[in-house]
Amino acid sequence: MKAIAVEPDPAAGAALAAVSFADAYRTTTATPGLCARQAAEAVFASPPAWINALMAVRNHVMGWFGVKTSAAQFAPTATARVGMFPVVSDSPRHILLGFDDRHLDFRITVSLRDAPEGRTAVTVTTAVLTHNLLGRCYLAAILPFHRRIARYMLSQARFA
């Protein structure tokens, strides 16, 4: 399935005080009875080795700056996660993931809506609020990777 760039879901940014950056990608599936959590799990469940390698580099470098680098650090009390991301809120058609850090806050929304021919549109929206120079530099450095990773992960998701 191909993921295309679309307008960001306002709900992702609504969970933040303001938004420094937002983007969104959408694909469609014919999977019946799909809920937002299942869609999010399909998107984030099994990143390929090249994404894991990029995340290892990110974690190593950002650890020098005291930035959170593990799922436990992101939200130590969160019991619900999708991949490494803590669940902020969850409903059948919309799941909000994310965490706050000293350099930036971010949210990922996976939302579902009906599409033509009995299909379901799955949209993944990312919204970021930067807090300082480190956050702005970090965002600038990761954006080229983020765009490729977000589109790839959504395109490769196998909605069951």
Side-chain angles (χ1 to χ4, degrees):
M1 294 172 286
K2 184 175 180 170
I4 60 168
V6 296
E7 286 297 313
D9 180 351
L16 298 171
V19 175
S20 305
F21 166 82
D23 70 354
Y25 298 94
R26 177 176 296 143
T27 192
T28 60
T29 180
T31 305
L34 185 67
C35 74
R37 180 181 287 271
Q38 291 168 320
E41 288 169 349
V43 172
F44 298 113
S46 302
W50 66 270
I51 292 175
N52 288 334
L54 284 172
M55 289 302 295
V57 170
R58 175 251 182 230
N59 291 344
H60 180 74
V61 171
M62 295 310 290
W64 298 337
F65 297 97
V67 171
K68 296 173 184 173
T69 59
S70 72
Q73 287 178 309
F74 293 143
T77 60
T79 55
R81 294 184 189 282
V82 172
M84 64 183 266
F85 305 113
V87 175
V88 176
S89 67
D90 190 4
S91 71
R93 309 271 299 165
H94 179 94
I95 188 167
L96 180 65
L97 313 169
F99 62 88
D100 300 338
D101 203 350
R102 65 184 176 90
H103 69 302
L104 60 76
D105 301 340
F106 93 96
R107 301 293 183 270
I108 298 172
T109 302
V110 178
S111 55
L112 309 179
R113 68 175 175 82
D114 295 334
E117 300 174 12
R119 299 182 65 81
T120 300
V122 179
T123 304
V124 177
T125 302
T126 304
V128 178
L129 171 61
T130 58
H131 297 303
N132 51 36
L133 180 60
L134 176 61
R136 291 186 295 279
C137 290
Y138 174 78
L139 184 60
I142 65 132
L143 273 181
F145 301 102
H146 161 78
R147 289 182 176 115
R148 182 174 176 118
I149 290 169
R151 185 174 278 150
Y152 178 85
M153 295 290 287
L154 184 56
S155 293
Q156 298 303 308
R158 298 293 171 245
F159 304 107

